[in-house]
Amino acid sequence: MIRLLVLLSASCLVIHGCPTIVSRAQWGAKSPKCRTRLSTPVPNVVIHHTAGTFCSSRSTCSAQARNIQSYHMNSRGWCDIGYNFLIGEDGVVYEGRGWTTHGAHAKSYNPISVGISFIGSFSSKWGLKINDGYFVSRCG
């Protein structure tokens, strides 16, 4: 089943290309307090969900990205938003720390992975845009 999903995702990538990526400036990110370079390419991609509110438009997803960044920086004491990329239900990818900055999403895997998080809580609902996570992992 996993192989089928990967094959279908790869087919979609070939047909549709890379997704739209909204830059940090476009969603209104704060400047990071510090930055550690990520040695690329990395062998792993870690998929998360933000366990918060869903979003379905550029404006609501941008607001959620700002909220997540504020939580990570102000409550967690991190340098920046923890994820390298976020994906909203609008099907758009939002740049977090990006391709070349060490994340704060999965402690043991941070130095050897890119972290992609779907905006919202998927404990009881599965995201419809799972292919976007695959696209991001292949388009960097």
Side-chain angles (χ1 to χ4, degrees):
M1 185 62 161
I2 300 249
R3 287 181 184 175
L4 178 59
L5 179 62
V6 170
L7 179 61
L8 289 173
S9 294
S11 299
C12 288
L13 177 60
V14 170
I15 294 167
H16 299 291
C18 295
T20 299
I21 298 180
V22 174
S23 72
R24 291 174 59 88
Q26 290 172 312
W27 62 261
K30 297 175 193 169
S31 295
K33 295 177 184 174
C34 62
R35 182 176 285 153
T36 302
R37 183 145 178 84
L38 181 64
S39 180
T40 57
V42 293
N44 302 292
V45 174
V46 180
I47 305 294
H48 303 271
H49 68 136
T50 62
T53 304
F54 292 101
C55 63
S56 59
S57 69
R58 182 82 51 105
S59 63
T60 59
C61 290
S62 292
Q64 277 303 100
R66 289 189 300 273
N67 292 340
I68 294 162
Q69 184 187 41
S70 290
Y71 172 70
H72 286 178
M73 293 175 79
N74 300 333
S75 297
R76 297 278 197 169
W78 297 345
C79 294
D80 195 0
I81 193 165
Y83 312 111
N84 299 91
F85 296 93
L86 300 103
I87 300 173
E89 274 198 274
D90 58 350
V92 176
V93 177
Y94 295 81
E95 178 185 20
R97 293 188 182 207
W99 296 112
T100 60
T101 302
H102 186 288
H105 54 88
K107 192 173 183 175
S108 298
Y109 284 87
N110 289 334
I112 57 169
S113 69
V114 167
I116 301 170
S117 189
F118 288 88
I119 298 173
S121 180
F122 294 92
S123 296
S124 61
K125 175 183 174 185
W126 189 250
L128 300 176
K129 299 293 182 182
I130 192 71
N131 283 337
D132 288 340
Y134 182 80
F135 291 165
V136 170
S137 71
R138 295 293 179 235
C139 291

